[in-house]
Amino acid sequence: MIGLTVFTRYQGLNQELGKIVELMETGSNDVMVVRSETRELLVPWVFGEFVLDVDLEGGRVDVNWDPEF
């Protein structure tokens, strides 16, 4: 998963958030550390709720995540 580009589809967007630079293990679920040139986001790896689709061949992960959060 490291290196895949994360896009948000939150409220109909198709906006790039950055690349996965780390996966952190937590007690309840893993968390993606997504980094762009300007910021870092922590997005829970909860398939169906936050993670919508993973395209390994295309190098892309689609999430439902507010880009302002």
Side-chain angles (χ1 to χ4, degrees):
M1 297 299 170
I2 304 295
L4 295 181
T5 303
V6 178
F7 290 83
T8 186
R9 295 190 345 211
Y10 179 77
Q11 294 184 344
L13 293 173
N14 187 24
Q15 177 181 340
E16 183 177 329
L17 297 178
K19 294 194 180 293
I20 301 173
V21 296
E22 182 181 352
L23 288 170
M24 298 179 357
E25 293 182 34
T26 66
S28 59
N29 54 267
D30 292 343
V31 174
M32 294 180 283
V33 179
V34 180
R35 189 173 297 148
S36 70
E37 291 181 12
T38 58
R39 64 184 177 156
E40 186 173 277
L41 299 171
L42 302 176
V43 181
W45 186 271
V46 180
F47 206 85
E49 184 174 351
F50 300 117
V51 178
L52 302 175
D53 188 46
V54 178
D55 180 0
L56 293 177
E57 290 181 18
R60 175 183 179 124
V61 176
D62 290 334
V63 298
N64 181 28
W65 193 256
D66 184 346
E68 300 302 318
F69 187 72

